[in-house]
Amino acid sequence: MTDEASLFDDAEAEASAANAPLAVRMRPRSIEEIVGQDHLLGAGSPLRRLVDGNAPMSVILWGPPGTGKTTIAHVVSHATQRVFVPMSALSAGVKEVRAVIAEAKRRLTASGAQTVLFIDEVHRFSKTQQDSLLGAVEDRTITLVAATTENPFFSIVSPLLSRSLLLTLEPLTDDDVLGLVRHALADPDRGYGGRLALTDEATEHLVRLAGGDARKALTGLEAAAGAADASDVDTIELALLEQAVDKAAVRYDRQGDQHYDVASALIKSMRGSDVDAALHYLARMIEAGEDPRFIARRLVILASEDIGMADPTALQTAVAAMQAVQFIGMPEAALTLSHAVIHLATAPKSNSATTAIGAALADVREGRYGAVPAALRDAHYPGAQRLAHGGGYRYSHDEPQAIARQQYAPDELVGKDYYRPTAYGAEKAIAERVARLRRLIRGEDGF
């Protein structure tokens, strides 16, 4: 079996080589160099204790690409005296995992040296492969550091999840990415040592394209630097950057007015049933590097606010799109967002759910509420019968059509209609049913 330490030494040699990718060369070498994960790096935090070697716990690092999962694993290897074994779920199987565990157990028994097993893309392991880790994690034969871009509550087996500490990494902010780009430009050993410069316009575009992904930002910078060298220039302008990364600049400021203008236009186009305009604004948001989770949240809101009961399946589509965005990420999630936008834009529209809750909230806030009818009150606690709670309640399932004629609303609101269904889409049939239900529940002559 190949010695694990030499495997990692080879990786370190690659990182220090002049021809290594910029993202590898610029990888933080200590916990102090890690950016963007302040919520995990404070004094006494689990990650800090793991790096300091004081906590032999196993951890699962969950976050989008380029947020530092692999970097954290490398920092752990530098900061501790443990043997570090990197493994990719793309190429390793149960046989390889068991071999690492057997060697770790032998090493622990012989010298007391601990082993850190880093598994990248652990969500790609099958249930059987994940189960093969349980015993060694449980008895701390190994310290597992596993990285995943997918929701671990769906992609990792519960026994492994319960034996590990889950740490959630957040996308880097634009300021974080900007700091990394500037560091790479200035660093004399691992970066470009100040021999190249980016114009402000090119810098803004590169940061926007990165979308919180440090690796993407550094890869784009490296491509632009290569183009600059080929053109024998020392300043990277927007046109050169666009040519290098093959991505045209979209005039869109995610922190400024256009962020809100384009998002508003997307929503209003779907509300107005203009599917083509909606797809245009969706494309602008995607190309500008907008957080797809932000787009998905807006779709979920619109599904209830502007479609509602006219097409009850619209909310299901929007929620499914939001979950899919979380599972698969970009760029593939663009297909799912397109699917959802087309459904929502072409669906019949109704804002009855919005106006219904708005009217009900207005009455409650204005004090228009009364006592719950005695028949509806909880009758399960001692003394309830003495108070006549639940007396006279008619169980709906004992009545014809499972509809009981009785008073449900407080006295002050009897006969008040909050929900006013439209005649559009599926809500037309619902409107007819609601009218019939109200007649049956309230009675022709009231109560």
Side-chain angles (χ1 to χ4, degrees), residues 21-36:
L22 179 63
V24 174
R25 300 199 308 269
M26 295 303 300
R27 178 172 286 147
R29 295 172 177 173
S30 69
I31 196 169
E32 286 72 26
E33 291 186 17
I34 297 175
V35 299

Side-chain angles (χ1 to χ4, degrees), residues 36-58:
Q37 307 301 334
D38 293 346
H39 63 295
L40 299 179
L41 300 174
S45 67
L47 183 55
R48 175 74 67 170
R49 288 186 285 121
L50 177 66
V51 170
D52 291 343
N54 297 324
M57 66 188 74
S58 292

Side-chain angles (χ1 to χ4, degrees), residues 24-363:
V24 174
R25 300 199 308 269
M26 295 303 300
R27 178 172 286 147
R29 295 172 177 173
S30 69
I31 196 169
E32 286 72 26
E33 291 186 17
I34 297 175
V35 299
Q37 307 301 334
D38 293 346
H39 63 295
L40 299 179
L41 300 174
S45 67
L47 183 55
R48 175 74 67 170
R49 288 186 285 121
L50 177 66
V51 170
D52 291 343
N54 297 324
M57 66 188 74
S58 292
V59 298
I60 294 171
L61 304 172
W62 173 33
T67 52
K69 298 183 294 297
T70 304
T71 290
I72 289 172
H74 279 256
V75 168
V76 168
S77 74
H78 275 294
T80 68
Q81 299 303 311
R82 305 167 191 165
V83 175
F84 188 85
V85 185
M87 181 177 288
S88 173
L90 289 171
S91 56
V94 172
K95 179 181 177 181
E96 288 78 10
V97 171
R98 287 176 175 166
V100 170
I101 292 172
E103 181 64 17
K105 187 174 294 186
R106 181 200 62 75
R107 185 183 302 110
L108 187 64
T109 302
S111 65
Q114 296 180 334
T115 301
V116 174
L117 172 60
F118 172 62
I119 301 180
D120 197 16
E121 299 194 73
V122 69
H123 56 271
R124 295 182 182 273
F125 264 180
S126 67
K127 181 180 183 299
T128 300
Q129 289 171 311
Q130 293 184 34
D131 285 343
S132 68
L133 296 164
L134 294 177
V137 170
E138 176 77 33
D139 61 18
R140 294 185 172 173
T141 298
I142 60 170
T143 295
L144 175 67
V145 180
T148 178
T149 57
E150 296 193 5
N151 190 327
F153 293 101
F154 294 94
S155 60
I156 296 179
V157 296
S158 296
L160 183 57
L161 197 57
S162 67
R163 289 167 171 80
S164 308
L165 183 66
L166 176 62
L167 302 179
T168 303
L169 280 69
E170 300 294 339
L172 303 186
T173 66
D174 285 352
D175 286 341
D176 293 331
V177 175
L178 178 60
L180 290 172
V181 169
R182 288 175 173 168
H183 185 202
L185 287 169
D187 191 294
D189 300 319
R190 295 181 286 171
Y192 297 107
R195 66 179 181 82
L196 289 175
L198 278 172
T199 65
D200 290 344
E201 197 174 19
T203 301
E204 291 173 5
H205 187 50
L206 179 60
V207 170
R208 184 166 59 241
L209 290 179
D213 185 327
R215 188 183 301 111
K216 186 181 294 185
L218 294 174
T219 300
L221 175 59
E222 185 173 26
D229 289 340
S231 302
D232 195 25
V233 298
D234 56 13
T235 298
I236 300 171
E237 298 188 353
L238 178 60
L240 184 62
L241 176 66
E242 289 176 348
Q243 178 186 351
V245 300
D246 194 25
K247 181 80 71 169
V250 178
R251 305 304 175 188
Y252 183 106
D253 178 5
R254 287 195 292 151
Q255 302 300 323
D257 292 341
Q258 283 204 30
H259 165 82
Y260 300 103
D261 289 346
V262 176
S264 175
L266 171 65
I267 297 304
K268 289 173 180 174
S269 297
M270 287 189 289
R271 180 183 295 143
S273 300
D274 190 332
V275 63
D276 303 297
L279 286 168
H280 166 76
Y281 291 118
L282 173 65
R284 282 176 64 170
M285 297 176 83
I286 291 172
E287 282 296 291
E290 183 62 77
D291 185 345
R293 296 171 298 179
F294 168 78
I295 302 174
R297 288 194 297 268
R298 296 306 302 264
L299 300 186
V300 172
I301 295 168
L302 179 131
S304 293
E305 181 180 11
D306 295 302
I307 299 173
M309 298 303 293
D311 180 1
T313 67
L315 179 59
Q316 298 172 13
T317 296
V319 171
M322 182 173 64
Q323 294 174 332
V325 164
Q326 183 70 24
F327 290 155
I328 63 177
M330 297 297 282
E332 292 85 354
L335 305 176
T336 303
L337 291 172
S338 174
H339 176 163
V341 164
I342 292 171
H343 185 158
L344 271 56
T346 57
K349 303 300 189 293
S350 169
N351 70 344
S352 60
T354 302
T355 57
I357 190 61
L361 287 170
D363 272 356

